[in-house]
Amino acid sequence: MDIKNVKGTHDIILEEAKAYDKIEMTMKSFAEAFCFSEFRTPVIEPSELFQRSVGESSDVVRKEMYTFLDKGDRLLALRPEFTAGIVRSFVNNKLYATRDLPLKAYYSGPVFRYERPQQGRYRQFHQFGVESLGVENVLNDVESLFLGYVILTALGLENVTLKINTLGDASSREAYRNALKGYFESHIKDMCDDCKVRYEVNPLRILDCKVPSDHEIVLGAPKMSDYLSNEAKAKFNKVLIALDEMNIPYEIDDTLVRGLDYYSELVFEYHYTSKKGVNYGAIGAGGHYDNLVEELDGPKMAGVGFSFGIERVYSVLKDDGLLDDIVNDIDIYVMPLSEKAKNQAFYLTSGLRTSGYKTEINLVDSKMANMFKKADRHGAKLGIIIGDDEIANGTVIVKDLAKKEQEEVAIDDLLDKVDAFFGEGQDECCCGDGECHCHDHEGE
Ligand code: HAM
């Protein structure tokens, strides 16, 4: 077939899909433990939402949004990030007035940016993230930042580099903006066209420029830390003290400004170089925003959050061999030995499946040895073999595939046998205190 997937997209299939599921489940379970609740907002939003939030000076809005007119002539965008949609939902649903604050949301799903595809950079990719809305408190910022760190550690990543910076409050940013304007005034004619626009709209964005010749100029620019108000310095210090108290290592990076316009005060990124030496870029990033809720027509309320890029998290975990345990993990593999046995085996398989056992059946003609190889590839723990003799006797052969022990079991006793195997035979079972969820004790 000549039709290929769209440039910058990728199929997430088989083991990779399993790994994504595992990653997202880990992220969700920790977000739940931190009392965040799930939000599912639309993939399509009015384009204006991102113009007003992510900002006209960001590359995301200027160059990377997938926008289109729908049949009713509305200008829509495929979401290039989640934060704006979550805040829109918070405002539209008046959650600021009807719910306890902070309102803590987590989310996951696809996002779209028309970027140049390269390692770790896609046009359709996936994010998992959180937003905590409606309360101004440094510890709220630390809570989100800590959650991100805990998730990465739980996934097995050691030595994550947490880069943090502060963009200061409004007065600090105004003073810094003027300082940058003054500095870049004599350089801007020699800089890239994007920087010329950034100079007019938001000179802070110039610090993010990736053009090598501009980078030289950027290195000599004034530093944000020299323009922070006393209040902004004090707030940032509180974050650092909390991180020290919690033994979370961090690096202060005063060039970190982030690519989206809504941030103020704390910004941060999680970085990780995989054991293969590959750096896929930030695997997650976020920060605090003072004005976003108000800019989207809500009350004046602060927010904070972060998003992980699932593709990048997946890549570092894979490089580091931390996804190796994601194998096929079926419970039972059923092996009929004749055409006649296939029917019997099929009904029996259906019964095991409806009893909750992950069961696969071999319906293609295969030699016994091949069937055992397949059972092994599927990670099956129990094999069930049915031949013509067993049909005649009303039995099946049940084989513990790890111990290589087998016995003949009457079909009527099969489910009890399987229950006993999975209930009592598994290492993780803790029947001793009756608290476990093995098949024996489920529902007790
Ligand atoms: P962001 O830095 O634009 O922030 O994206 C967050 C993460 O998404 C990045 O750290 C990266 O892992 C991943 N990512 C970004 N672009 C791509 C791409 N083209 N391909 C693959 N992965 C990518 C935000 O989106 C903010 N909404 C984060 C936030 C939440 N700030 C506050 N709350």
Side-chain angles (χ1 to χ4, degrees), residues 387-420:
D388 292 345
D389 288 351
E390 284 74 27
I391 292 179
N393 297 339
T395 59
V396 294
I397 306 289
V398 175
K399 182 161 185 172
D400 179 330
L401 295 171
K403 291 189 183 152
K404 304 207 185 319
E405 289 168 5
Q406 65 179 52
E407 64 181 299
E408 194 164 356
V409 175
I411 287 197
D412 288 346
D413 299 336
L414 179 63
L415 195 56
D416 286 345
K417 187 82 204 160
V418 170
D419 282 347

PDB file of all heavy atoms in Angstrom, residues 387-420:
ATOM      1  N   GLY A 387      -6.388 -33.525  23.028  1.00  0.00           N
ATOM      2  CA  GLY A 387      -6.330 -34.383  21.849  1.00  0.00           C
ATOM      3  C   GLY A 387      -7.571 -35.265  21.803  1.00  0.00           C
ATOM      4  O   GLY A 387      -8.457 -35.143  22.674  1.00  0.00           O
ATOM      5  N   ASP A 388      -7.621 -36.165  20.837  1.00  0.00           N
ATOM      6  CA  ASP A 388      -8.810 -37.023  20.686  1.00  0.00           C
ATOM      7  C   ASP A 388      -9.011 -37.924  21.908  1.00  0.00           C
ATOM      8  O   ASP A 388     -10.146 -38.160  22.332  1.00  0.00           O
ATOM      9  CB  ASP A 388      -8.690 -37.862  19.414  1.00  0.00           C
ATOM     10  CG  ASP A 388      -8.789 -36.968  18.180  1.00  0.00           C
ATOM     11  OD1 ASP A 388      -9.229 -35.805  18.337  1.00  0.00           O
ATOM     12  OD2 ASP A 388      -8.411 -37.426  17.078  1.00  0.00           O
ATOM     13  N   ASP A 389      -7.901 -38.412  22.497  1.00  0.00           N
ATOM     14  CA  ASP A 389      -8.018 -39.276  23.690  1.00  0.00           C
ATOM     15  C   ASP A 389      -8.688 -38.525  24.830  1.00  0.00           C
ATOM     16  O   ASP A 389      -9.560 -39.054  25.519  1.00  0.00           O
ATOM     17  CB  ASP A 389      -6.627 -39.735  24.173  1.00  0.00           C
ATOM     18  CG  ASP A 389      -6.031 -40.753  23.218  1.00  0.00           C
ATOM     19  OD1 ASP A 389      -6.778 -41.206  22.316  1.00  0.00           O
ATOM     20  OD2 ASP A 389      -4.828 -41.054  23.370  1.00  0.00           O
ATOM     21  N   GLU A 390      -8.265 -37.280  25.010  1.00  0.00           N
ATOM     22  CA  GLU A 390      -8.824 -36.497  26.112  1.00  0.00           C
ATOM     23  C   GLU A 390     -10.312 -36.248  25.871  1.00  0.00           C
ATOM     24  O   GLU A 390     -11.118 -36.333  26.810  1.00  0.00           O
ATOM     25  CB  GLU A 390      -8.092 -35.147  26.254  1.00  0.00           C
ATOM     26  CG  GLU A 390      -6.712 -35.232  26.900  1.00  0.00           C
ATOM     27  CD  GLU A 390      -5.655 -35.815  25.985  1.00  0.00           C
ATOM     28  OE1 GLU A 390      -5.814 -35.685  24.745  1.00  0.00           O
ATOM     29  OE2 GLU A 390      -4.693 -36.431  26.491  1.00  0.00           O
ATOM     30  N   ILE A 391     -10.676 -35.988  24.597  1.00  0.00           N
ATOM     31  CA  ILE A 391     -12.108 -35.763  24.312  1.00  0.00           C
ATOM     32  C   ILE A 391     -12.894 -37.024  24.688  1.00  0.00           C
ATOM     33  O   ILE A 391     -13.933 -36.950  25.346  1.00  0.00           O
ATOM     34  CB  ILE A 391     -12.327 -35.409  22.827  1.00  0.00           C
ATOM     35  CG1 ILE A 391     -11.723 -34.027  22.547  1.00  0.00           C
ATOM     36  CG2 ILE A 391     -13.819 -35.382  22.476  1.00  0.00           C
ATOM     37  CD1 ILE A 391     -11.845 -33.561  21.129  1.00  0.00           C
ATOM     38  N   ALA A 392     -12.339 -38.160  24.298  1.00  0.00           N
ATOM     39  CA  ALA A 392     -13.025 -39.431  24.607  1.00  0.00           C
ATOM     40  C   ALA A 392     -13.166 -39.626  26.120  1.00  0.00           C
ATOM     41  O   ALA A 392     -14.190 -40.100  26.606  1.00  0.00           O
ATOM     42  CB  ALA A 392     -12.248 -40.588  23.992  1.00  0.00           C
ATOM     43  N   ASN A 393     -12.145 -39.176  26.885  1.00  0.00           N
ATOM     44  CA  ASN A 393     -12.170 -39.363  28.354  1.00  0.00           C
ATOM     45  C   ASN A 393     -12.877 -38.227  29.092  1.00  0.00           C
ATOM     46  O   ASN A 393     -12.995 -38.287  30.319  1.00  0.00           O
ATOM     47  CB  ASN A 393     -10.737 -39.425  28.913  1.00  0.00           C
ATOM     48  CG  ASN A 393      -9.982 -40.613  28.366  1.00  0.00           C
ATOM     49  OD1 ASN A 393     -10.606 -41.568  27.902  1.00  0.00           O
ATOM     50  ND2 ASN A 393      -8.662 -40.552  28.400  1.00  0.00           N
ATOM     51  N   GLY A 394     -13.238 -37.176  28.361  1.00  0.00           N
ATOM     52  CA  GLY A 394     -13.830 -35.998  29.040  1.00  0.00           C
ATOM     53  C   GLY A 394     -12.813 -35.296  29.911  1.00  0.00           C
ATOM     54  O   GLY A 394     -13.130 -34.739  30.965  1.00  0.00           O
ATOM     55  N   THR A 395     -11.551 -35.250  29.455  1.00  0.00           N
ATOM     56  CA  THR A 395     -10.476 -34.616  30.247  1.00  0.00           C
ATOM     57  C   THR A 395      -9.666 -33.649  29.378  1.00  0.00           C
ATOM     58  O   THR A 395      -9.872 -33.568  28.162  1.00  0.00           O
ATOM     59  CB  THR A 395      -9.503 -35.683  30.796  1.00  0.00           C
ATOM     60  OG1 THR A 395      -8.945 -36.385  29.671  1.00  0.00           O
ATOM     61  CG2 THR A 395     -10.207 -36.654  31.719  1.00  0.00           C
ATOM     62  N   VAL A 396      -8.718 -32.967  30.038  1.00  0.00           N
ATOM     63  CA  VAL A 396      -7.687 -32.186  29.321  1.00  0.00           C
ATOM     64  C   VAL A 396      -6.377 -32.396  30.079  1.00  0.00           C
ATOM     65  O   VAL A 396      -6.392 -32.806  31.241  1.00  0.00           O
ATOM     66  CB  VAL A 396      -7.998 -30.670  29.294  1.00  0.00           C
ATOM     67  CG1 VAL A 396      -9.244 -30.362  28.489  1.00  0.00           C
ATOM     68  CG2 VAL A 396      -8.121 -30.100  30.704  1.00  0.00           C
ATOM     69  N   ILE A 397      -5.262 -32.084  29.407  1.00  0.00           N
ATOM     70  CA  ILE A 397      -3.966 -32.100  30.108  1.00  0.00           C
ATOM     71  C   ILE A 397      -3.662 -30.659  30.509  1.00  0.00           C
ATOM     72  O   ILE A 397      -3.695 -29.747  29.668  1.00  0.00           O
ATOM     73  CB  ILE A 397      -2.829 -32.597  29.180  1.00  0.00           C
ATOM     74  CG1 ILE A 397      -3.161 -33.963  28.568  1.00  0.00           C
ATOM     75  CG2 ILE A 397      -1.488 -32.604  29.916  1.00  0.00           C
ATOM     76  CD1 ILE A 397      -3.125 -35.115  29.527  1.00  0.00           C
ATOM     77  N   VAL A 398      -3.386 -30.466  31.785  1.00  0.00           N
ATOM     78  CA  VAL A 398      -3.028 -29.127  32.276  1.00  0.00           C
ATOM     79  C   VAL A 398      -1.544 -29.153  32.622  1.00  0.00           C
ATOM     80  O   VAL A 398      -1.103 -30.004  33.395  1.00  0.00           O
ATOM     81  CB  VAL A 398      -3.868 -28.771  33.527  1.00  0.00           C
ATOM     82  CG1 VAL A 398      -3.417 -27.443  34.103  1.00  0.00           C
ATOM     83  CG2 VAL A 398      -5.353 -28.728  33.168  1.00  0.00           C
ATOM     84  N   LYS A 399      -0.778 -28.202  32.027  1.00  0.00           N
ATOM     85  CA  LYS A 399       0.677 -28.246  32.234  1.00  0.00           C
ATOM     86  C   LYS A 399       1.177 -26.927  32.826  1.00  0.00           C
ATOM     87  O   LYS A 399       0.918 -25.851  32.268  1.00  0.00           O
ATOM     88  CB  LYS A 399       1.371 -28.516  30.886  1.00  0.00           C
ATOM     89  CG  LYS A 399       2.871 -28.627  31.012  1.00  0.00           C
ATOM     90  CD  LYS A 399       3.484 -29.332  29.816  1.00  0.00           C
ATOM     91  CE  LYS A 399       4.981 -29.519  30.046  1.00  0.00           C
ATOM     92  NZ  LYS A 399       5.586 -30.348  29.046  1.00  0.00           N
ATOM     93  N   ASP A 400       1.857 -27.048  33.948  1.00  0.00           N
ATOM     94  CA  ASP A 400       2.542 -25.886  34.532  1.00  0.00           C
ATOM     95  C   ASP A 400       3.781 -25.650  33.663  1.00  0.00           C
ATOM     96  O   ASP A 400       4.722 -26.450  33.689  1.00  0.00           O
ATOM     97  CB  ASP A 400       2.926 -26.217  35.987  1.00  0.00           C
ATOM     98  CG  ASP A 400       3.657 -25.073  36.663  1.00  0.00           C
ATOM     99  OD1 ASP A 400       4.352 -24.311  35.954  1.00  0.00           O
ATOM    100  OD2 ASP A 400       3.533 -24.947  37.899  1.00  0.00           O
ATOM    101  N   LEU A 401       3.782 -24.573  32.882  1.00  0.00           N
ATOM    102  CA  LEU A 401       4.821 -24.417  31.859  1.00  0.00           C
ATOM    103  C   LEU A 401       6.183 -24.064  32.456  1.00  0.00           C
ATOM    104  O   LEU A 401       7.202 -24.316  31.828  1.00  0.00           O
ATOM    105  CB  LEU A 401       4.388 -23.376  30.824  1.00  0.00           C
ATOM    106  CG  LEU A 401       3.162 -23.814  30.006  1.00  0.00           C
ATOM    107  CD1 LEU A 401       2.631 -22.661  29.148  1.00  0.00           C
ATOM    108  CD2 LEU A 401       3.481 -25.013  29.111  1.00  0.00           C
ATOM    109  N   ALA A 402       6.185 -23.495  33.630  1.00  0.00           N
ATOM    110  CA  ALA A 402       7.473 -23.178  34.259  1.00  0.00           C
ATOM    111  C   ALA A 402       8.080 -24.446  34.861  1.00  0.00           C
ATOM    112  O   ALA A 402       9.239 -24.782  34.610  1.00  0.00           O
ATOM    113  CB  ALA A 402       7.290 -22.114  35.326  1.00  0.00           C
ATOM    114  N   LYS A 403       7.266 -25.183  35.617  1.00  0.00           N
ATOM    115  CA  LYS A 403       7.788 -26.388  36.295  1.00  0.00           C
ATOM    116  C   LYS A 403       7.836 -27.595  35.373  1.00  0.00           C
ATOM    117  O   LYS A 403       8.398 -28.627  35.722  1.00  0.00           O
ATOM    118  CB  LYS A 403       6.900 -26.727  37.497  1.00  0.00           C
ATOM    119  CG  LYS A 403       7.015 -25.708  38.627  1.00  0.00           C
ATOM    120  CD  LYS A 403       6.286 -26.215  39.857  1.00  0.00           C
ATOM    121  CE  LYS A 403       6.317 -25.207  40.979  1.00  0.00           C
ATOM    122  NZ  LYS A 403       5.167 -25.333  41.854  1.00  0.00           N
ATOM    123  N   LYS A 404       7.179 -27.452  34.211  1.00  0.00           N
ATOM    124  CA  LYS A 404       7.097 -28.549  33.236  1.00  0.00           C
ATOM    125  C   LYS A 404       6.439 -29.793  33.855  1.00  0.00           C
ATOM    126  O   LYS A 404       6.834 -30.933  33.596  1.00  0.00           O
ATOM    127  CB  LYS A 404       8.469 -28.884  32.645  1.00  0.00           C
ATOM    128  CG  LYS A 404       9.151 -27.681  31.999  1.00  0.00           C
ATOM    129  CD  LYS A 404      10.102 -28.102  30.920  1.00  0.00           C
ATOM    130  CE  LYS A 404      10.899 -26.962  30.314  1.00  0.00           C
ATOM    131  NZ  LYS A 404      10.189 -25.712  30.066  1.00  0.00           N
ATOM    132  N   GLU A 405       5.451 -29.579  34.722  1.00  0.00           N
ATOM    133  CA  GLU A 405       4.696 -30.687  35.326  1.00  0.00           C
ATOM    134  C   GLU A 405       3.291 -30.690  34.760  1.00  0.00           C
ATOM    135  O   GLU A 405       2.690 -29.621  34.601  1.00  0.00           O
ATOM    136  CB  GLU A 405       4.607 -30.501  36.849  1.00  0.00           C
ATOM    137  CG  GLU A 405       5.928 -30.732  37.553  1.00  0.00           C
ATOM    138  CD  GLU A 405       5.904 -30.254  39.003  1.00  0.00           C
ATOM    139  OE1 GLU A 405       4.833 -29.825  39.491  1.00  0.00           O
ATOM    140  OE2 GLU A 405       6.974 -30.283  39.622  1.00  0.00           O
ATOM    141  N   GLN A 406       2.787 -31.875  34.433  1.00  0.00           N
ATOM    142  CA  GLN A 406       1.441 -31.906  33.862  1.00  0.00           C
ATOM    143  C   GLN A 406       0.578 -32.982  34.511  1.00  0.00           C
ATOM    144  O   GLN A 406       1.082 -33.929  35.104  1.00  0.00           O
ATOM    145  CB  GLN A 406       1.509 -32.109  32.349  1.00  0.00           C
ATOM    146  CG  GLN A 406       2.090 -33.445  31.918  1.00  0.00           C
ATOM    147  CD  GLN A 406       2.095 -33.555  30.410  1.00  0.00           C
ATOM    148  OE1 GLN A 406       2.592 -32.661  29.738  1.00  0.00           O
ATOM    149  NE2 GLN A 406       1.533 -34.633  29.882  1.00  0.00           N
ATOM    150  N   GLU A 407      -0.732 -32.782  34.425  1.00  0.00           N
ATOM    151  CA  GLU A 407      -1.651 -33.819  34.932  1.00  0.00           C
ATOM    152  C   GLU A 407      -2.932 -33.795  34.108  1.00  0.00           C
ATOM    153  O   GLU A 407      -3.259 -32.783  33.464  1.00  0.00           O
ATOM    154  CB  GLU A 407      -1.956 -33.603  36.417  1.00  0.00           C
ATOM    155  CG  GLU A 407      -2.691 -32.320  36.712  1.00  0.00           C
ATOM    156  CD  GLU A 407      -2.949 -32.156  38.205  1.00  0.00           C
ATOM    157  OE1 GLU A 407      -3.644 -33.006  38.768  1.00  0.00           O
ATOM    158  OE2 GLU A 407      -2.466 -31.168  38.776  1.00  0.00           O
ATOM    159  N   GLU A 408      -3.635 -34.901  34.125  1.00  0.00           N
ATOM    160  CA  GLU A 408      -4.901 -35.012  33.411  1.00  0.00           C
ATOM    161  C   GLU A 408      -6.009 -34.561  34.359  1.00  0.00           C
ATOM    162  O   GLU A 408      -6.052 -34.988  35.524  1.00  0.00           O
ATOM    163  CB  GLU A 408      -5.124 -36.455  32.961  1.00  0.00           C
ATOM    164  CG  GLU A 408      -6.227 -36.575  31.946  1.00  0.00           C
ATOM    165  CD  GLU A 408      -6.182 -37.936  31.220  1.00  0.00           C
ATOM    166  OE1 GLU A 408      -5.244 -38.713  31.480  1.00  0.00           O
ATOM    167  OE2 GLU A 408      -7.087 -38.197  30.416  1.00  0.00           O
ATOM    168  N   VAL A 409      -6.874 -33.680  33.856  1.00  0.00           N
ATOM    169  CA  VAL A 409      -7.917 -33.113  34.712  1.00  0.00           C
ATOM    170  C   VAL A 409      -9.258 -33.283  34.010  1.00  0.00           C
ATOM    171  O   VAL A 409      -9.363 -33.045  32.792  1.00  0.00           O
ATOM    172  CB  VAL A 409      -7.645 -31.605  34.943  1.00  0.00           C
ATOM    173  CG1 VAL A 409      -8.765 -30.951  35.734  1.00  0.00           C
ATOM    174  CG2 VAL A 409      -6.306 -31.402  35.630  1.00  0.00           C
ATOM    175  N   ALA A 410     -10.281 -33.684  34.753  1.00  0.00           N
ATOM    176  CA  ALA A 410     -11.620 -33.789  34.157  1.00  0.00           C
ATOM    177  C   ALA A 410     -12.095 -32.388  33.756  1.00  0.00           C
ATOM    178  O   ALA A 410     -11.846 -31.420  34.488  1.00  0.00           O
ATOM    179  CB  ALA A 410     -12.581 -34.396  35.180  1.00  0.00           C
ATOM    180  N   ILE A 411     -12.746 -32.309  32.590  1.00  0.00           N
ATOM    181  CA  ILE A 411     -13.178 -30.993  32.101  1.00  0.00           C
ATOM    182  C   ILE A 411     -14.022 -30.271  33.148  1.00  0.00           C
ATOM    183  O   ILE A 411     -13.877 -29.066  33.342  1.00  0.00           O
ATOM    184  CB  ILE A 411     -13.947 -31.152  30.770  1.00  0.00           C
ATOM    185  CG1 ILE A 411     -12.925 -31.489  29.697  1.00  0.00           C
ATOM    186  CG2 ILE A 411     -14.710 -29.871  30.415  1.00  0.00           C
ATOM    187  CD1 ILE A 411     -13.351 -31.315  28.294  1.00  0.00           C
ATOM    188  N   ASP A 412     -14.854 -31.016  33.851  1.00  0.00           N
ATOM    189  CA  ASP A 412     -15.708 -30.380  34.861  1.00  0.00           C
ATOM    190  C   ASP A 412     -14.902 -29.758  36.003  1.00  0.00           C
ATOM    191  O   ASP A 412     -15.391 -28.866  36.686  1.00  0.00           O
ATOM    192  CB  ASP A 412     -16.694 -31.416  35.450  1.00  0.00           C
ATOM    193  CG  ASP A 412     -17.768 -31.784  34.425  1.00  0.00           C
ATOM    194  OD1 ASP A 412     -17.862 -31.041  33.415  1.00  0.00           O
ATOM    195  OD2 ASP A 412     -18.469 -32.794  34.626  1.00  0.00           O
ATOM    196  N   ASP A 413     -13.690 -30.252  36.210  1.00  0.00           N
ATOM    197  CA  ASP A 413     -12.856 -29.742  37.322  1.00  0.00           C
ATOM    198  C   ASP A 413     -11.862 -28.674  36.857  1.00  0.00           C
ATOM    199  O   ASP A 413     -11.074 -28.167  37.660  1.00  0.00           O
ATOM    200  CB  ASP A 413     -12.058 -30.882  37.969  1.00  0.00           C
ATOM    201  CG  ASP A 413     -12.982 -31.939  38.561  1.00  0.00           C
ATOM    202  OD1 ASP A 413     -14.133 -31.588  38.873  1.00  0.00           O
ATOM    203  OD2 ASP A 413     -12.545 -33.102  38.666  1.00  0.00           O
ATOM    204  N   LEU A 414     -11.887 -28.394  35.537  1.00  0.00           N
ATOM    205  CA  LEU A 414     -10.820 -27.547  34.983  1.00  0.00           C
ATOM    206  C   LEU A 414     -10.758 -26.163  35.655  1.00  0.00           C
ATOM    207  O   LEU A 414      -9.684 -25.698  36.052  1.00  0.00           O
ATOM    208  CB  LEU A 414     -10.995 -27.391  33.462  1.00  0.00           C
ATOM    209  CG  LEU A 414      -9.935 -26.500  32.806  1.00  0.00           C
ATOM    210  CD1 LEU A 414      -8.542 -27.103  32.950  1.00  0.00           C
ATOM    211  CD2 LEU A 414     -10.243 -26.285  31.324  1.00  0.00           C
ATOM    212  N   LEU A 415     -11.917 -25.511  35.769  1.00  0.00           N
ATOM    213  CA  LEU A 415     -11.900 -24.152  36.315  1.00  0.00           C
ATOM    214  C   LEU A 415     -11.374 -24.138  37.751  1.00  0.00           C
ATOM    215  O   LEU A 415     -10.578 -23.266  38.120  1.00  0.00           O
ATOM    216  CB  LEU A 415     -13.300 -23.520  36.238  1.00  0.00           C
ATOM    217  CG  LEU A 415     -13.316 -22.009  36.446  1.00  0.00           C
ATOM    218  CD1 LEU A 415     -12.385 -21.293  35.465  1.00  0.00           C
ATOM    219  CD2 LEU A 415     -14.736 -21.479  36.289  1.00  0.00           C
ATOM    220  N   ASP A 416     -11.765 -25.135  38.556  1.00  0.00           N
ATOM    221  CA  ASP A 416     -11.253 -25.217  39.931  1.00  0.00           C
ATOM    222  C   ASP A 416      -9.738 -25.369  39.920  1.00  0.00           C
ATOM    223  O   ASP A 416      -9.021 -24.760  40.705  1.00  0.00           O
ATOM    224  CB  ASP A 416     -11.855 -26.430  40.666  1.00  0.00           C
ATOM    225  CG  ASP A 416     -13.313 -26.174  41.049  1.00  0.00           C
ATOM    226  OD1 ASP A 416     -13.727 -25.000  40.993  1.00  0.00           O
ATOM    227  OD2 ASP A 416     -14.018 -27.155  41.375  1.00  0.00           O
ATOM    228  N   LYS A 417      -9.272 -26.195  38.988  1.00  0.00           N
ATOM    229  CA  LYS A 417      -7.829 -26.447  38.888  1.00  0.00           C
ATOM    230  C   LYS A 417      -7.087 -25.144  38.532  1.00  0.00           C
ATOM    231  O   LYS A 417      -6.060 -24.809  39.137  1.00  0.00           O
ATOM    232  CB  LYS A 417      -7.617 -27.499  37.786  1.00  0.00           C
ATOM    233  CG  LYS A 417      -6.220 -27.984  37.682  1.00  0.00           C
ATOM    234  CD  LYS A 417      -5.971 -29.062  38.708  1.00  0.00           C
ATOM    235  CE  LYS A 417      -4.506 -29.159  39.031  1.00  0.00           C
ATOM    236  NZ  LYS A 417      -4.265 -29.829  40.295  1.00  0.00           N
ATOM    237  N   VAL A 418      -7.650 -24.453  37.535  1.00  0.00           N
ATOM    238  CA  VAL A 418      -7.028 -23.195  37.083  1.00  0.00           C
ATOM    239  C   VAL A 418      -7.081 -22.164  38.212  1.00  0.00           C
ATOM    240  O   VAL A 418      -6.092 -21.475  38.494  1.00  0.00           O
ATOM    241  CB  VAL A 418      -7.750 -22.684  35.817  1.00  0.00           C
ATOM    242  CG1 VAL A 418      -7.306 -21.271  35.463  1.00  0.00           C
ATOM    243  CG2 VAL A 418      -7.477 -23.626  34.652  1.00  0.00           C
ATOM    244  N   ASP A 419      -8.239 -22.077  38.886  1.00  0.00           N
ATOM    245  CA  ASP A 419      -8.373 -21.139  40.019  1.00  0.00           C
ATOM    246  C   ASP A 419      -7.317 -21.443  41.082  1.00  0.00           C
ATOM    247  O   ASP A 419      -6.688 -20.535  41.620  1.00  0.00           O
ATOM    248  CB  ASP A 419      -9.758 -21.257  40.666  1.00  0.00           C
ATOM    249  CG  ASP A 419     -10.830 -20.544  39.854  1.00  0.00           C
ATOM    250  OD1 ASP A 419     -10.466 -19.754  38.947  1.00  0.00           O
ATOM    251  OD2 ASP A 419     -12.031 -20.771  40.118  1.00  0.00           O
ATOM    252  N   ALA A 420      -7.152 -22.708  41.352  1.00  0.00           N
ATOM    253  CA  ALA A 420      -6.191 -23.094  42.388  1.00  0.00           C
ATOM    254  C   ALA A 420      -4.785 -22.717  41.955  1.00  0.00           C
ATOM    255  O   ALA A 420      -3.995 -22.179  42.733  1.00  0.00           O
ATOM    256  CB  ALA A 420      -6.281 -24.596  42.647  1.00  0.00           C
TER     257      ALA A 420
END
